[in-house]
Every structure is written in C-alpha cells, then in structure tokens.
Amino acid sequence: MRKSNSLRSRSTFGGRSRTAKFTVASCALSIALVTGCGAEDRDDVLKGFQLQLPPCPTENLTFSGQTSAPGINLAMSFTAPTSCVEKYLQDHHVDLSRPLYWPASGWDVIGDHTFPPTEPPFEPENMKQFKLKLDPNKQYKKYVGFRTPKDAEFTVLLVPVGEMTSLYMESDLAGRVGRAD
C-alpha cells in the first residue's frame, strides 16, 4: 500500500495529473496562437488601429481585438448621445445620408453565397460579445466605410436607445494595421 502511494505522489505534481498538466499547457499554447504573443489591452489595440473613443461620455463599452497576425480585428460597441455618435461617424468618413438598413430589403448575393435579409450584421462571436438581439420587424441603420487613418474599415450598426444611440462596429478590412508607418 505504501508503495502505491509513493508511486502516486510521483505521478502527480502540485496536485495535478499529467493529463491535467498537458491540458493546461495545450490551452495556453492555443490561446497564444489565437491571440498572438501576449494579449493586447484596449488602449494598445485602439492605438494600433489609430482609433479613439468619441470625446463624449460613453456607456456599456464592449471591446475585443488585436493588431498582430493572425486575425487582426476589432469589434467594439458603446452607447452615447446620438449627436456625439453621428459626429463620431462623420469624423470617420461615414456619409450619414446614405445608410443601409438591417434587415435588408431583399436577398443579397455575393459570389456563390446568397444571404437572407435577416442575416446577422456581424460575425457570430461578435453578436455574442455585443449581446445583440435585433428585432427583424424594426429597421436599424447600418453603415459601411467607417475608416481609420490606418485604412482599417468597419461595418457599423446603430440602435436607438431614447436620447442615446448604441453603436456596434466590426472591422471588415485591416488596412495597414500591424505595419509600422
């Protein structure tokens, strides 16, 4: 009995079995591959995209992104006064007189894929991050072409909230993000 306890204590380290240690190491490696070496904080990612938050107070900020390959991306949302959101969009080359709408008025065809009018406006992981549940019986303004000085482009969706507007944005093109200028 004593011998098996001795063997057992040698096969575990710090209370973890070899399987548990392997699982932890595998997860750490997976995270490093997906997020790059070291997670980037919000300020670093915004700086990498040459993007600032609007100058007015914001609420309910959500954020995810990275500026290094693979997967240069940025998804962000916040709620702010409507006039501030509109100014923010104009400052980033958005023509407010030319909105698209969600849901779309008809089916879209891009290449070999046909999209229904209620196709979610963002990638599934960003829809979850935003906790965005849209009513297909309402119409929401959507804009493309929101650009940063690094030529990154975003799709933007606006959801009115009384006197405020919630802005949801997802990068479409990375432009020169990740490259030194």
Side-chain angles (χ1 to χ4, degrees), residues 14-85:
R16 292 190 177 157
S17 68
R18 288 180 201 216
T19 304
K21 285 189 283 184
F22 177 76
T23 302
V24 169
S26 296
C27 289
L29 180 59
S30 296
I31 290 168
L33 290 173
V34 170
T35 63
C37 294
E40 295 177 71
D41 70 10
R42 179 184 74 202
D43 293 336
D44 289 341
V45 174
L46 290 175
K47 183 179 177 183
F49 274 84
Q50 287 187 343
L51 181 66
Q52 295 178 349
L53 292 172
C56 60
T58 61
E59 301 172 359
N60 306 320
L61 178 68
T62 66
F63 174 88
S64 69
Q66 68 182 49
T67 60
S68 57
I72 295 172
N73 65 72
L74 174 58
M76 183 172 71
S77 69
F78 59 83
T79 302
T82 300
S83 60
C84 180
V85 169

Side-chain angles (χ1 to χ4, degrees), residues 85-160:
V85 169
E86 289 173 350
K87 175 85 169 91
Y88 188 67
L89 293 173
Q90 289 170 332
D91 288 347
H92 290 90
H93 314 283
V94 173
D95 181 355
L96 296 176
S97 68
R98 301 182 59 130
L100 302 173
Y101 291 96
W102 188 95
S105 59
W107 291 75
D108 285 330
V109 177
I110 298 175
D112 293 335
H113 190 72
T114 302
F115 298 94
T118 56
E119 177 84 10
F122 302 114
E123 294 293 324
E125 64 271 7
N126 292 332
M127 292 294 289
K128 286 180 189 174
Q129 171 192 316
F130 295 148
K131 297 178 183 162
L132 187 56
K133 298 196 187 321
L134 300 171
D135 181 351
N137 297 312
K138 292 183 179 179
Q139 243 186 1
Y140 303 90
K141 289 182 180 177
K142 178 179 163 184
Y143 297 95
V144 295
F146 177 108
R147 290 189 317 275
T148 72
K150 283 268 193 159
D151 294 325
E153 290 191 26
F154 293 80
T155 294
V156 176
L157 183 80
L158 302 180
V159 177

